[in-house]
Amino acid sequence: MRQADDHDGIDWHQYVIIGAGPAGIQLSYYLQQIDADYVTLERAAEPAEFFRRFPRHRRLISLNKVHSVSDDPEIRLRWDWNSLLHEPADLPFANYSSEYFPHADDMVRYLGDFQRHHKLAVRFGVEVRRIERRDDHFLVHTEDQILGCRAVIVATGWGRPNVPAIRGIEHAVGYEDMQTDPAAYAGKRVLILGKGNSAFETASAILGQASMVHLASPRPLRLAWNTKHPGDVRGHHGAVLDSYQFKTLHSVLDCVVDEIRPREGGGYQVHLTYTHADGETAVLDYEAVLRCTGFAMDTSIFDPACQPELVASGRMPTTGPDWQSTNVDGLYFAGTLAQARDFKRASSAFIDGFRYNLRTLTALLRERYDEVPLAHTVAARDADALTTLTLDRINWSSALWTQFEYLCDVLVVDETTGEVRHHVDLPEDLARSRFHDEPHYYTFGLRWGRDDYGDVFAIERHPEPHRAAESAFIHPVIRRYHGETLVDELHLLEDLLAEWRRPDRHVEPLRAFFARELELRR
């Protein structure tokens, strides 16, 4: 790290975090725990600026299951989607709400107290104007100061609404500005652009007031109970779907909205083309058009020389397996912005997912900038020992549970020493790239069955260990790699209570797998 110069007027740090929402606060906590030289900048006067406005109808979709079957704090985190990680866990979100779907104001209070409780180094009321890359460091410009650092971690969350390219879109009222009093839509025909959670949140709120509610987007509705992704439409919005099927004229439309035109005398004519109707078009009248099409990252703070590459939709940055920008060295993303690598699969867009990602990111930052090796433990090269280790982790870890199909543990076999190095909570693509020269290693984690089930509530099960790969529910998967090549894979049977310890279904199949694979390398 470059040393501070008394005359250059620059405030130097190893790390600068931008944003004090849940991701910025969580990362600040991790860096503070390792005594890192960091500072966090937040333009608002307090944490959680986003949650002061959103969701607009003030109910979170993150679960708050206060009462659990376990007394183990780690296992309880599987169903606590709102708490930040900290030791000792003396400030759980359950202290702020006992509601299954909490109020957004509870999150605001929680994050503010968490920051104060841990005395995190957050500077409030500081707006970042520009980020520029200079040789091996960054300069972060604010209104009255320049900060220098080796690494910038952007944890700002969504910075602007995502506005689709529709002729006349300016006539739609954005989710961020719309009236939230349901009485404002009494007797009106309302078109809602979008079919995500913000659209259904809005439709649910006005369903009993509006004379007609239509939700429209080109692609079919994605229901969370089908996709297993918490960002897709959740079951508590079922009243909207019931209304569609019960012929109330409330509808969910798969269509392209071609144009929105003001109508003489008030209201709007909306021209649309149905997606599944042989090109049929229609012109429908509405008194209100609401845009609920999500958010996107604000890239205006980046100097042209360090503009991060974006995914195809332009909504978020592309990142490598270490959550670093794919084209700007030293620029990292945290929280909701860092979901591109498991988009619509695991939970990196949400607190219950990125709190674990950030723990791993902290270890990776420490390795790169402070030369502290990535931690691991050592196990014996023995089938019984590895079976016990694997099942203990799978049955206990909340990270592997929440970040299914994304984070994994890694067992690297050292053929020279006979030892096995155990690394925890790594993205599987990071593990493959990091250990690509290793001839013998394993990853293990949790996965869902991914067959296309006609009815997810009427799935035929086959509870025989040799058919475990057909499990539909979340279940353990162990993979053997040679470099980046997948050599073998073992699925263990699903279990209703997520307890994978039955001798016949879990212990013996896994022990036999390790015994066979380890013997092959002798």
PDB file of all heavy atoms in Angstrom, residues 24 29 80 197-198 202 227-228 298 318 335 506:
ATOM      1  N   GLY A  24     -22.742  -3.557   2.702  1.00  0.00           N
ATOM      2  CA  GLY A  24     -21.652  -2.712   3.160  1.00  0.00           C
ATOM      3  C   GLY A  24     -21.418  -2.843   4.658  1.00  0.00           C
ATOM      4  O   GLY A  24     -20.272  -2.858   5.125  1.00  0.00           O
ATOM      5  N   TYR A  29     -18.090  -5.143   8.974  1.00  0.00           N
ATOM      6  CA  TYR A  29     -17.907  -5.954  10.181  1.00  0.00           C
ATOM      7  C   TYR A  29     -16.766  -6.956   9.986  1.00  0.00           C
ATOM      8  O   TYR A  29     -15.894  -7.095  10.854  1.00  0.00           O
ATOM      9  CB  TYR A  29     -19.202  -6.688  10.524  1.00  0.00           C
ATOM     10  CG  TYR A  29     -19.013  -7.739  11.590  1.00  0.00           C
ATOM     11  CD1 TYR A  29     -18.972  -7.390  12.941  1.00  0.00           C
ATOM     12  CD2 TYR A  29     -18.847  -9.081  11.242  1.00  0.00           C
ATOM     13  CE1 TYR A  29     -18.778  -8.352  13.916  1.00  0.00           C
ATOM     14  CE2 TYR A  29     -18.645 -10.043  12.214  1.00  0.00           C
ATOM     15  CZ  TYR A  29     -18.609  -9.676  13.550  1.00  0.00           C
ATOM     16  OH  TYR A  29     -18.391 -10.634  14.515  1.00  0.00           O
ATOM     17  N   ASP A  80     -33.414 -17.959   9.062  1.00  0.00           N
ATOM     18  CA  ASP A  80     -33.338 -16.540   9.432  1.00  0.00           C
ATOM     19  C   ASP A  80     -32.672 -15.828   8.262  1.00  0.00           C
ATOM     20  O   ASP A  80     -31.472 -15.853   8.107  1.00  0.00           O
ATOM     21  CB  ASP A  80     -32.512 -16.385  10.711  1.00  0.00           C
ATOM     22  CG  ASP A  80     -32.216 -14.928  11.057  1.00  0.00           C
ATOM     23  OD1 ASP A  80     -32.614 -14.021  10.286  1.00  0.00           O
ATOM     24  OD2 ASP A  80     -31.557 -14.697  12.087  1.00  0.00           O
ATOM     25  N   ASN A 197     -41.701  -9.681  -8.180  1.00  0.00           N
ATOM     26  CA  ASN A 197     -42.282  -9.489  -6.856  1.00  0.00           C
ATOM     27  C   ASN A 197     -42.803  -8.078  -6.630  1.00  0.00           C
ATOM     28  O   ASN A 197     -43.810  -7.891  -5.947  1.00  0.00           O
ATOM     29  CB  ASN A 197     -41.275  -9.865  -5.773  1.00  0.00           C
ATOM     30  CG  ASN A 197     -41.327 -11.356  -5.467  1.00  0.00           C
ATOM     31  OD1 ASN A 197     -42.374 -11.877  -5.104  1.00  0.00           O
ATOM     32  ND2 ASN A 197     -40.213 -12.032  -5.638  1.00  0.00           N
ATOM     33  N   SER A 198     -42.135  -7.059  -7.200  1.00  0.00           N
ATOM     34  CA  SER A 198     -42.653  -5.704  -7.008  1.00  0.00           C
ATOM     35  C   SER A 198     -43.986  -5.528  -7.726  1.00  0.00           C
ATOM     36  O   SER A 198     -44.883  -4.825  -7.240  1.00  0.00           O
ATOM     37  CB  SER A 198     -41.641  -4.658  -7.485  1.00  0.00           C
ATOM     38  OG  SER A 198     -41.401  -4.771  -8.876  1.00  0.00           O
ATOM     39  N   THR A 202     -47.549  -4.923  -5.722  1.00  0.00           N
ATOM     40  CA  THR A 202     -48.448  -3.821  -6.066  1.00  0.00           C
ATOM     41  C   THR A 202     -49.839  -4.339  -6.392  1.00  0.00           C
ATOM     42  O   THR A 202     -50.855  -3.793  -5.921  1.00  0.00           O
ATOM     43  CB  THR A 202     -47.863  -3.040  -7.252  1.00  0.00           C
ATOM     44  OG1 THR A 202     -46.568  -2.556  -6.906  1.00  0.00           O
ATOM     45  CG2 THR A 202     -48.756  -1.876  -7.634  1.00  0.00           C
ATOM     46  N   THR A 227     -39.225 -22.697  -9.312  1.00  0.00           N
ATOM     47  CA  THR A 227     -37.828 -22.398  -9.617  1.00  0.00           C
ATOM     48  C   THR A 227     -36.901 -22.587  -8.432  1.00  0.00           C
ATOM     49  O   THR A 227     -35.685 -22.650  -8.602  1.00  0.00           O
ATOM     50  CB  THR A 227     -37.685 -20.945 -10.100  1.00  0.00           C
ATOM     51  OG1 THR A 227     -38.003 -20.055  -9.014  1.00  0.00           O
ATOM     52  CG2 THR A 227     -38.614 -20.657 -11.273  1.00  0.00           C
ATOM     53  N   LYS A 228     -37.439 -22.618  -7.216  1.00  0.00           N
ATOM     54  CA  LYS A 228     -36.655 -22.694  -5.965  1.00  0.00           C
ATOM     55  C   LYS A 228     -35.856 -21.416  -5.727  1.00  0.00           C
ATOM     56  O   LYS A 228     -34.947 -21.396  -4.904  1.00  0.00           O
ATOM     57  CB  LYS A 228     -35.696 -23.895  -5.955  1.00  0.00           C
ATOM     58  CG  LYS A 228     -36.271 -25.202  -6.460  1.00  0.00           C
ATOM     59  CD  LYS A 228     -37.405 -25.695  -5.590  1.00  0.00           C
ATOM     60  CE  LYS A 228     -37.806 -27.110  -5.931  1.00  0.00           C
ATOM     61  NZ  LYS A 228     -38.328 -27.274  -7.283  1.00  0.00           N
ATOM     62  N   ASP A 298     -26.358   1.956 -10.993  1.00  0.00           N
ATOM     63  CA  ASP A 298     -25.978   3.284 -11.476  1.00  0.00           C
ATOM     64  C   ASP A 298     -24.469   3.289 -11.717  1.00  0.00           C
ATOM     65  O   ASP A 298     -23.687   3.108 -10.781  1.00  0.00           O
ATOM     66  CB  ASP A 298     -26.364   4.329 -10.438  1.00  0.00           C
ATOM     67  CG  ASP A 298     -26.030   5.752 -10.874  1.00  0.00           C
ATOM     68  OD1 ASP A 298     -25.536   5.934 -12.002  1.00  0.00           O
ATOM     69  OD2 ASP A 298     -26.255   6.682 -10.068  1.00  0.00           O
ATOM     70  N   THR A 318     -20.533  -7.644 -14.587  1.00  0.00           N
ATOM     71  CA  THR A 318     -19.998  -8.998 -14.713  1.00  0.00           C
ATOM     72  C   THR A 318     -18.837  -9.135 -13.731  1.00  0.00           C
ATOM     73  O   THR A 318     -18.044  -8.208 -13.555  1.00  0.00           O
ATOM     74  CB  THR A 318     -19.499  -9.277 -16.132  1.00  0.00           C
ATOM     75  OG1 THR A 318     -18.481  -8.324 -16.470  1.00  0.00           O
ATOM     76  CG2 THR A 318     -20.630  -9.170 -17.138  1.00  0.00           C
ATOM     77  N   GLY A 335     -22.953  -7.726  -2.252  1.00  0.00           N
ATOM     78  CA  GLY A 335     -24.387  -7.650  -2.043  1.00  0.00           C
ATOM     79  C   GLY A 335     -25.185  -7.906  -3.299  1.00  0.00           C
ATOM     80  O   GLY A 335     -24.790  -8.693  -4.169  1.00  0.00           O
ATOM     81  N   HIS A 506     -27.214 -42.674   3.571  1.00  0.00           N
ATOM     82  CA  HIS A 506     -26.240 -41.585   3.480  1.00  0.00           C
ATOM     83  C   HIS A 506     -24.829 -42.014   3.859  1.00  0.00           C
ATOM     84  O   HIS A 506     -23.892 -41.811   3.086  1.00  0.00           O
ATOM     85  CB  HIS A 506     -26.703 -40.418   4.371  1.00  0.00           C
ATOM     86  CG  HIS A 506     -28.107 -39.990   4.111  1.00  0.00           C
ATOM     87  ND1 HIS A 506     -29.091 -40.025   5.070  1.00  0.00           N
ATOM     88  CD2 HIS A 506     -28.708 -39.553   2.975  1.00  0.00           C
ATOM     89  CE1 HIS A 506     -30.234 -39.604   4.552  1.00  0.00           C
ATOM     90  NE2 HIS A 506     -30.032 -39.314   3.279  1.00  0.00           N
TER      91      HIS A 506
END
